[in-house]
Amino acid sequence: DQQVKQNSPSLSVQEGRISILNCDYTNSMFDYFLWYKKYPAEGPTFLISISSIKDKNEDGRFTVFLNKSAKHLSLHIVPSQPGDSAVYFCAASALLNRDDKIIFGKGTRLHILP
Amino acid sequence: NAGVTQTPKFQVLKTGQSMTLQCAQDMNHEYMSWYRQDPGMGLRLIHYSVGAGITDQGEVPNGYNVSRSTTEDFPLRLLSAAPSQTSVYFCASSAGGVYNEQFFGPGTRLTVL
């Protein structure tokens, strides 16, 4: 049973446009969410996170939106750049439960087209 | 500052062989973890540690052992390798558990024949 779902395996976006990557979760205990980015043959790198007490968090070109009632979050990248081509993983954990485990989605491969 | 290092980068084993994947970090992080990444499966947590002497199981712990005798090192042991353990393995560390940024190593690509 997938607790964190990224239903789009891949996404292609024109350079300069907005990239929107989606993530859904099923476990209502999840209250902390993170996005990681991964280039081929490298380890993932942290991008941005959001706690369930917020509905939006911004860091430069990256914004994460959280809709708790829909159990849905999205990562917006504006404007998209060639270096953004990578696999993006959504991850979730239960902070209030003091859970030290994290569940990752299967990832979405983002292609930025010139 | 090397960050998180993993050795070896590549390994081929025969079914039934044992081996240890090494992971070390020089950031004095208390939290360390091991993940495996399989095609189309994302990252799955194998084992984790919140400090020296403390380890616990993740999502997919079967077939793997860990120990944490120092803050810096967190080796992953495969006691009797199986083809199902063919995967890319990532070690990560963090200053504050999974809620803070985890720093990942470059990975070990393991093939079990």
Side-chain angles (χ1 to χ4, degrees), chain B residues 15 36 38 44 62 64 80-87 89 110 112:
Chain B
T15 297
R36 59 178 288 175
D38 302 297
R44 291 184 292 170
N62 291 341
Y64 307 95
S80 178
S84 60
Q85 293 178 303
T86 293
S87 188
Y89 291 85
L110 175 69
V112 183

Side-chain angles (χ1 to χ4, degrees), chain B:
Chain B
N1 226 359
V4 178
T5 57
Q6 291 184 239
T7 55
K9 284 192 174 0
F10 301 95
Q11 183 70 49
V12 178
L13 290 179
K14 294 182 179 175
T15 297
Q17 286 185 315
S18 63
M19 82 157 294
T20 299
L21 278 62
Q22 301 291 346
C23 174
Q25 52 93 8
D26 61 0
M27 297 173 281
N28 203 33
H29 287 166
E30 291 297 324
Y31 184 91
M32 295 187 75
S33 54
W34 276 102
Y35 298 87
R36 59 178 288 175
Q37 185 189 13
D38 302 297
M41 291 296 293
L43 291 154
R44 291 184 292 170
L45 181 65
I46 305 172
H47 283 286
Y48 65 97
S49 168
V50 298
I54 307 169
T55 64
D56 207 343
Q57 297 181 350
E59 266 184 284
V60 289
N62 291 341
Y64 307 95
N65 276 357
V66 292
S67 59
R68 183 98 179 267
S69 54
T70 67
T71 300
E72 295 78 20
D73 301 296
F74 190 42
L76 179 72
R77 279 181 284 278
L78 284 72
L79 298 177
S80 178
S84 60
Q85 293 178 303
T86 293
S87 188
V88 181
Y89 291 85
F90 291 100
C91 177
S93 75
S94 164
V98 296
Y99 319 115
N100 282 2
E101 174 182 2
Q102 288 194 78
F103 293 85
F104 283 80
T108 294
R109 184 174 292 275
L110 175 69
T111 301
V112 183
L113 302 175

Side-chain angles (χ1 to χ4, degrees), chain A:
Chain A
D1 177 33
Q2 261 187 279
Q3 297 187 66
V4 178
K5 300 178 189 179
Q6 293 179 258
N7 291 322
S8 299
S10 69
L11 176 68
S12 294
V13 174
Q14 209 77 34
E15 182 180 352
R17 305 293 289 266
I18 182 171
S19 293
I20 300 176
L21 293 93
N22 294 306
C23 178
D24 297 294
Y25 61 97
T26 57
N27 188 341
S28 57
M29 299 303 294
F30 287 150
D31 55 7
Y32 199 82
F33 306 90
L34 308 97
W35 285 91
Y36 282 83
K37 173 180 176 178
K38 185 182 181 305
Y39 292 120
E42 293 184 12
T45 54
F46 171 77
L47 206 50
I48 193 168
S49 62
I50 188 166
S51 159
S52 61
I53 62 172
K54 293 183 164 185
D55 53 20
K56 177 181 171 182
N57 190 26
E58 278 181 88
D59 184 1
R61 295 186 299 114
F62 302 92
T63 303
V64 56
F65 295 92
L66 176 61
N67 183 334
K68 290 184 287 293
S69 59
K71 294 195 179 68
H72 176 83
L73 58 154
S74 60
L75 175 69
H76 293 212
I77 306 173
V78 185
S80 300
Q81 297 176 354
D84 297 331
S85 292
V87 177
Y88 289 78
F89 292 101
C90 171
S93 188
L95 175 63
L96 277 181
N97 264 8
R98 300 192 62 79
D99 193 347
D100 292 309
K101 293 191 277 290
I102 188 171
I103 305 294
F104 281 84
K106 293 185 177 183
T108 296
R109 184 177 299 277
L110 177 63
H111 301 271
I112 303 302
L113 306 170

